[in-house]
Amino acid sequence: MKRSLRRALPLAALVLAACGSGRSTDAIPGAEAGAWQGAWAAAPHQPVSQSDVSFRMIVRPTLGGERLRLRFSNAYGSQPTRITAVSIAKRSTGPTVDSASLQPVLFGGLPGTEVQPGAELISDPLAFSWSFGEELAVSFHVAESSDMDQHGNAVAVGYSGSGDLTMDAAGSGYGNVVTSFFGFMGLDVDRPDATGTVVALGDSITDGGNPPEINNRWPDYLADRLHEAGLVFGVLNEGIGANQVTRDTEFLGFSEAAMSRFDRDVLQRPGLRTVVLFEGTNDLAGEVGAQEVFD
């Protein structure tokens, strides 16, 4: 084991050095140059199909700011995500949002867009002010039959309802509670003063456990401690329940191996500086040899 670790350390140094330079995401449609840092993320892992439905996803970004952009993912779909409208607001309670903060989000200056199969799309940057610890509500509507990515068992509460409810501040039309993230998989903030983004790559221990909505995942605690110490880092939770380092699994839906999703879920995140890898127990439980995990 010591020999394996000694062999792994130079490789780890190379990987982290590559992460330090990062890979520009500004080539992704909708992106714009800026000092972008990842402030919130969920790892997509399986597709769902929806039609004429609005989702209101509740998130707690790990950085405050005054300018943001949103990421929508259709990595696993076989048809486009046909989005007609998107909005963002500060959450009040339940599906209700602060009407004074409610704003539409655009894509190339337009309210609607399509995310093609296998792709991720970034919104236009939006002037929007919020503080660390505030919950934000991201709402979007798909009118036609659409595929979109899902992050199941999200240990979070969101809402859905029929029709376009994106500008419904009262939230009265959001009659369904959902516990997965749909479509919307990332929020970036323009923070020139930030040191960088920390990506936590892992399995259910990183993804989080019940009860929902109390933000008790270890990356949440890490973000709190960094903030309390005055260190300006974004923290992204890229954990997936039952994830393995070496193999895809089907438990809790499709879960692509960390080795396969590393490029998308880690190297393509904005402002990437540090990676915390916390995986391997599911490989060993699945009778994968320790040497294969080390390699």
Side-chain angles (χ1 to χ4, degrees):
M1 179 174 178
K2 289 181 180 178
R3 287 195 297 271
S4 298
L5 288 173
R6 282 198 295 269
R7 288 198 300 270
L9 283 173
L11 176 60
L14 288 172
V15 170
L16 290 174
C19 293
S21 62
R23 178 180 357 180
S24 172
T25 57
D26 292 334
I28 299 175
E32 179 183 293
W36 295 105
Q37 309 294 329
W40 177 86
H45 63 91
Q46 61 182 346
V48 293
S49 186
Q50 300 287 340
S51 179
D52 191 27
V53 61
S54 289
F55 289 99
R56 179 158 285 175
M57 306 280 93
I58 309 300
V59 301
R60 180 178 178 263
T62 58
L63 283 173
E66 297 183 349
R67 188 168 181 255
L68 58 76
R69 64 187 188 184
L70 307 181
R71 294 172 173 268
F72 288 82
S73 177
N74 191 18
Y76 298 104
S78 59
Q79 61 179 341
T81 308
R82 300 180 175 93
I83 299 173
T84 64
V86 179
S87 70
I88 189 167
K90 295 181 180 181
R91 183 196 195 186
S92 296
T93 183
T96 304
V97 301
D98 171 28
S99 59
S101 67
L102 182 60
Q103 295 188 56
V105 179
L106 304 179
F107 299 82
L110 301 174
T113 190
E114 289 191 354
V115 189
Q116 297 303 314
E120 176 184 80
L121 189 67
I122 301 179
S123 74
D124 296 348
L126 176 69
F128 187 94
S129 181
W130 77 102
S131 300
F132 176 85
E134 285 192 290
E135 291 184 322
L136 305 183
V138 173
S139 308
F140 70 98
H141 173 249
V142 291
E144 302 175 23
S145 179
S146 296
D147 283 353
M148 67 187 74
D149 284 341
Q150 177 184 13
H151 179 93
N153 193 34
V155 200
V157 170
Y159 306 90
S160 68
S162 299
D164 183 356
L165 306 172
T166 54
M167 299 304 289
D168 176 11
S172 56
Y174 289 97
N176 304 312
V177 174
V178 297
T179 56
S180 298
F181 291 118
F182 295 93
F184 166 59
M185 293 290 160
L187 185 152
D188 305 334
V189 56
D190 190 359
R191 286 290 298 265
D193 62 325
T195 304
T197 299
V198 179
V199 174
L201 183 68
D203 49 35
S204 60
I205 299 173
T206 298
D207 195 18
N210 289 319
E213 284 209 294
I214 64 172
N215 299 302
N216 68 340
R217 312 164 188 86
W218 72 257
D220 297 324
Y221 289 121
L222 174 60
D224 290 342
R225 293 179 66 182
L226 289 169
H227 178 74
E228 290 166 2
L231 302 173
V232 187
F233 283 90
V235 178
L236 301 184
N237 187 334
E238 297 285 359
I240 300 175
N243 202 226
Q244 291 189 14
V245 173
T246 60
R247 287 169 169 73
D248 300 341
T249 66
E250 293 292 337
F251 183 65
L252 297 177
F254 179 70
S255 178
E256 191 172 5
M259 289 296 296
S260 301
R261 66 189 184 92
F262 188 84
D263 182 81
R264 181 195 68 212
D265 290 349
V266 177
L267 296 184
Q268 294 191 37
R269 298 308 98 195
L272 178 65
R273 180 181 175 92
T274 303
V275 181
V276 181
L277 173 62
F278 190 16
E279 289 214 47
T281 58
N282 291 321
D283 299 77
L284 300 179
E287 299 183 350
V288 176
Q291 190 61 52
E292 185 176 350
V293 177
F294 293 148
D295 292 343

